């Protein structure tokens, strides 16, 4: 008995200096759906195992809700330990204002430039030759998710591309199934549009409009075809009155809807619902037409802090996030692709393998989030969500307004 | 008033004046100062962080060419006019009914005032559920046998703003009723007696005698309603988040979205300056008339 108390007391005294070294870091992110929360728990586990403490600061909503909160905290002088953002334009001004921690030192020591694949992801983190963020995954929005059960009910084969999907829609309607599930948030309608631009308009059109901001391309006949296809998709989604993307995914999982255009993060939801890729659901990258993916993704930024202990912990977290084990554990749960080419992903499912193959073949595109400013994105989102919800706007009107936005884009 | 030139005037009530200094400073620095700062920056190209690159009226030109801004203004006008009229009319009618010396007046008063204790966020969510076609009013009426009944204002872009209006009225009318009731109670009993002796019907007494006597109460009420209208934001965010599409957007939401979500402070400032301008256009003539009226009466 006495021995035990003594041992406990010893442990306690020994534990105190250890705890003093451990640092609490608050991490803000907007990963709150089932699959996302499971993935972020992997980061937290790895960080806690290292002796520090992960203080979870999840912000419900979506990027659009969370980002203003995150940015106003950083600008307002109450920085968190680390935060999720999409790399590229969103944090540009914060970096330029000197509010973010420079990670170049560890990046060079660990040779990030050699192991990050595609290396463009790291470029998104680089401002004036210095690295300010850790890319953690590759997400591509260009996917069509299809419910096998819904097609079985309707008595048609599961489509293999967008045209077949459109052709099968009337059968689904007859069976009382909404052909296309669509959440009513503006970013989702924009995502669908960008995806259809790749599938219907082709890769060159996508690149010249998004990367080069070429207003002539936006006014071209190819773009008109995209708008017409988009208008057709609008009528396919009639009857899907949901808001969040995961509610729309849930319509596909429960066979209330035939399909959904959504990024590969939808995969996490299918996994949580115990669905098997290829058996219960099918995924078509690039809507099955042009098998390419845009390599957007999430990254973690570390706001500058005066406390050297916190800075040290931030650097520990940064190198952990990019390490092999954490990358595998995180991305398997998240349904996204890892940012390094040298990890073993035998556990990956059907859909992830499709993605990995496209990545290995180099069929990649820049993502809108990374090349357009938040301002331009916001205007496009407003236009798309207005178009999607009001049938009196014709495809031609929408295109005219789209061209005007691209003309002023920065 | 003629002797204001005397220097001692300045030092009269010195302690009261010193006590007022913090509030005066706050008003000057926070309200006036921040307003001027905002107006100045609405002429710049500020993005995520404010800067001083002047671009003239560019932000305003862009603002007025945005469909979303025009819809916001239209929605605010519909919401504003309707909520002004309906909350005054309903509030006054409720107050007049409660004033008939009915039983359980306290109970009714509490019931009508109760929604005012809820925030706009809660109000918005509650009405989002009530108006949801799958488990709200539409569902109930359909289950009573009217299978074809359609009532889904929040999913119909043409009438969505009225769905928001219903929630706003439900929340705010109780307070208006209380103000009106207080006004009615302030009317001398003798006036009622005199009206009755003269055989004036009750509605005529209200319209031609009581309401004109309640002028001050009506003005207070109007100011309270109007300030609530211009800043309507949380109700829309909770109930529809501007949807479907952009059909229920309001100016305050435009300002917020541009300042924080789209990282375009200049555009947000331009929109908020327009909001300030519209308030001034209403307030200045009113204040002028009001205070001029006071003086000529006094």
């Amino acid at each position: 008995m006495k021995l035990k108390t003594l041992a406990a007391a010893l442990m306690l005294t020994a534990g105190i200096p250890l705890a003093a070294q451990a640092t609490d870091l608050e991490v803000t992110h907007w990963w709150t759906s089932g699959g996302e929360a499971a993935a972020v728990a992997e980061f937290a586990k790895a960080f806690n195992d290292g002796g520090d403490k992960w203080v979870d600061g999840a912000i419900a909503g979506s990027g659009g809700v969370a980002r203003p909160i995150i940015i106003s905290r950083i600008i307002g002088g109450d920085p968190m330990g680390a935060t999720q953002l999409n790399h590229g334009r969103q944090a540009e001004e914060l970096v330029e204002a000197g509010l973010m921690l420079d990670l170049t030192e560890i990046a060079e020591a660990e040779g990030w430039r050699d192991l990050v694949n595609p290396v463009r992801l790291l470029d998104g983190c680089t401002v004036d030759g210095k690295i300010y963020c850790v890319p953690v995954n590759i997400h591509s929005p260009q996917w069509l998710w299809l419910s096998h059960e819904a097609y079985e009910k309707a008595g048609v084969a599961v489509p293999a591309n967008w045209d077949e999907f459109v052709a099968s829609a009337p059968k689904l309607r007859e069976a009382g199934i909404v052909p296309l599930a669509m959440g009513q948030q503006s970013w989702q309608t924009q995502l669908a549009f960008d995806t259809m631009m790749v599938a219907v308009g082709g890769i060159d059109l996508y690149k010249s409009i998004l990367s080069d901001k070429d207003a002539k391309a936006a006014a071209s006949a190819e773009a008109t075809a995209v708008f017409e296809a988009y208008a057709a998709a609008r009528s396919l989604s009639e009857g899907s009155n949901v808001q969040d993307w995961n509610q729309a995914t849930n319509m596909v999982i429960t066979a209330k809807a035939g399909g959904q255009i959504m990024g590969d993060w939808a995969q996490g939801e299918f996994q949580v619902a115990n669905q098997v890729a290829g058996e219960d659901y099918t995924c078509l990258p690039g809507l099955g037409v042009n098998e390419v993916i845009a390599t957007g993704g999430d990254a973690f930024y570390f706001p500058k802090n005066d406390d050297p202990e916190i800075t040290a912990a931030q650097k520990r977290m940064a190198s952990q996030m990019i390490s092999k084990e954490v990358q595998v554990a995180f991305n398997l749960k998240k349904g996204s692709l890892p940012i390094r080419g040298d990890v073993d992903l035998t556990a990956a499912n059907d859909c992830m393998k499709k993605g990995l193959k496209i990545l290995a073949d180099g069929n990649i595109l820049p993502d809108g989030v990374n090349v357009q400013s938040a301002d331009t994105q916001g205007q496009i989102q407003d236009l798309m969500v207005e178009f999607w919800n009001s049938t009196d706007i014709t495809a031609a009107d929408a295109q005219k307004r789209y061209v005007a936005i691209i003309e002023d884009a920065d | 008033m003629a002797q204001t030139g005397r220097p001692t005037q300045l030092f009269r009530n010195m302690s009261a004046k010193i006590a007022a200094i913090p509030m005066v400073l706050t008003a000057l620095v926070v309200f006036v100062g921040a307003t001027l700062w905002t107006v100045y920056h609405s002429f710049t190209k500020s993005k995520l962080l404010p800067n001083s690159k002047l671009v003239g009226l560019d932000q305003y030109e862009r603002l007025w060419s945005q469909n979303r801004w025009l819809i916001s203004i239209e929605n605010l006008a519909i919401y504003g006019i309707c909520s002004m009229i309906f909350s005054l009319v309903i509030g006054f009618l409720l107050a007049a009914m409660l004033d008939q010396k009915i039983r359980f007046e306290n109970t009714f008063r509490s019931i009508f005032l109760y929604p005012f204790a809820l925030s706009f966020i809660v109000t918005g969510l509650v009405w989002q559920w009530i108006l949801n076609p799958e488990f709200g009013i539409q569902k109930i009426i359909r289950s009573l046998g009217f299978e074809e009944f359609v009532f889904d204002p929040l999913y119909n872009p043409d009438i969505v703003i009225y769905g928001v209006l219903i929630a706003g009225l439900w929340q705010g009318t109780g307070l208006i009723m209380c103000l009106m009731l207080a006004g009615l109670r302030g009317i001398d009993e003798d006036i009622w007696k005199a009206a009755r002796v003269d055989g004036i019907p009750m509605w005529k007494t209200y319209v031609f005698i009581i309401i004109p006597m309640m002028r001050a109460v009506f003005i207070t009420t109007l100011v309270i309603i109007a300030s609530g209208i211009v800043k309507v934001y949380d109700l829309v965010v909770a109930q529809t988040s501007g949807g479907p599409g952009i059909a229920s957007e309001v100016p305050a939401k435009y300002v917020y979205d541009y300042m924080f979500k789209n990282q375009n402070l200049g555009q947000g400032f331009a929109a908020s300056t327009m909001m300030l301008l519209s308030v001034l256009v209403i307030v200045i003539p009113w204040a002028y008339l009001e205070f001029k009226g006071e003086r000529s009466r006094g």
Side-chain angles (χ1 to χ4, degrees), chain B residues 31-280:
Chain B
F31 296 125
V32 181
T35 305
L36 291 178
W37 189 89
T38 303
V39 173
Y40 171 75
H41 279 90
S42 73
F43 295 105
T44 67
K45 227 180 132 174
S46 299
K47 288 289 191 181
L48 175 62
L49 302 171
N51 63 36
S52 306
K53 289 176 206 142
L54 289 170
V55 290
L57 288 170
D58 279 10
Q59 299 285 13
Y60 291 89
E61 267 167 37
R62 179 171 154 193
L63 179 71
W64 285 102
S65 67
Q66 297 278 312
N67 215 16
R68 178 170 162 189
W69 174 251
L70 299 177
I71 290 179
S72 303
I73 297 280
E74 192 191 320
N75 279 339
L76 188 70
I78 296 176
Y79 180 88
I81 293 169
C82 292
S83 99
M84 193 84 94
I85 295 172
F86 284 109
S87 46
L88 274 181
V89 170
I90 299 174
F92 185 80
L93 285 179
L94 285 176
M97 282 188 245
L98 278 188
D99 199 33
Q100 306 306 310
K101 306 200 173 59
I102 54 162
R103 274 194 197 184
F104 307 119
E105 191 203 309
N106 279 334
T107 317
F108 281 113
R109 215 169 42 202
S110 306
I111 291 174
F112 289 134
L113 190 58
Y114 195 75
F116 190 67
L118 301 178
S119 74
F120 264 146
I121 296 288
V122 177
T123 310
L125 284 177
V126 167
W127 279 91
Q128 188 189 53
W129 292 330
I130 296 178
L131 298 177
N132 186 310
E134 272 151 48
F135 37 78
I137 294 177
Q138 178 176 317
K139 171 91 193 292
I140 293 171
I141 306 250
R142 280 190 183 184
S143 66
L144 289 178
F146 302 93
E147 294 293 330
E148 296 304 304
F149 181 78
V150 177
F151 186 65
D152 55 349
L154 298 190
Y155 292 94
N156 182 343
D158 299 329
I159 55 168
V160 62
I161 195 65
Y162 299 100
V164 177
L165 179 70
I166 293 174
L169 287 178
W170 178 80
Q171 202 256 5
T173 313
L175 177 76
I176 308 302
M177 179 205 74
C178 274
L179 289 169
M180 294 288 172
L181 193 56
L184 285 174
R185 291 283 147 86
I187 304 284
D188 199 335
E189 230 6 66
D190 292 340
I191 292 181
W192 278 107
K193 284 179 189 157
R196 231 166 280 147
V197 168
D198 286 346
I200 304 170
M202 198 204 279
W203 69 270
K204 268 194 174 170
T205 318
Y206 269 120
V207 173
F208 295 109
I209 301 173
I210 306 296
I211 291 182
M213 287 180 78
M214 283 169 64
R215 185 167 176 271
V217 175
F218 270 94
I219 285 171
T220 316
T221 315
L222 274 180
V223 172
I224 289 176
I225 300 175
S227 68
I229 291 168
V230 178
K231 64 183 187 197
V232 60
Y233 168 79
D234 30 9
L235 184 62
V236 173
V237 169
Q239 211 180 348
T240 65
S241 38
I246 55 171
S248 60
E249 293 286 347
V250 285
K253 186 160 177 293
Y254 186 94
V255 172
Y256 175 84
D257 281 354
Y258 267 91
M259 281 168 72
F260 301 108
K261 217 169 103 188
N262 293 2
Q263 306 180 352
N264 191 340
L265 284 179
Q267 182 68 188
F269 288 156
S272 54
T273 307
M274 290 315 302
M275 283 175 74
L276 176 71
L277 213 62
S278 61
V279 172
L280 290 182

Side-chain angles (χ1 to χ4, degrees), chain A residues 207-291:
Chain A
K207 278 190 183 157
S208 49
I209 293 179
L210 270 86
S211 302
D212 308 337
K213 288 144 194 130
D214 179 357
K216 273 202 202 98
S220 67
E222 287 90 358
T224 309
V226 176
F227 274 95
E228 271 156 15
Y230 191 59
R234 173 172 69 182
S235 58
L236 295 184
S237 79
E238 244 165 71
S240 94
N241 287 336
V242 290
Q243 284 291 331
D244 294 319
W245 68 267
N246 49 336
Q247 290 172 331
T249 310
N250 197 45
M251 286 177 73
V252 179
I253 292 174
T254 54
K256 280 186 195 137
Q260 181 194 14
I261 299 176
M262 189 37 64
D264 52 6
W265 48 89
Q267 178 138 273
E269 298 303 298
F270 285 102
Q271 247 166 37
V272 170
N274 288 324
Q275 299 235 320
V276 181
E279 282 175 32
D280 301 313
Y281 67 98
T282 291
C283 52
L284 300 174
L287 305 185
V289 186
N290 284 321
E291 291 218 344

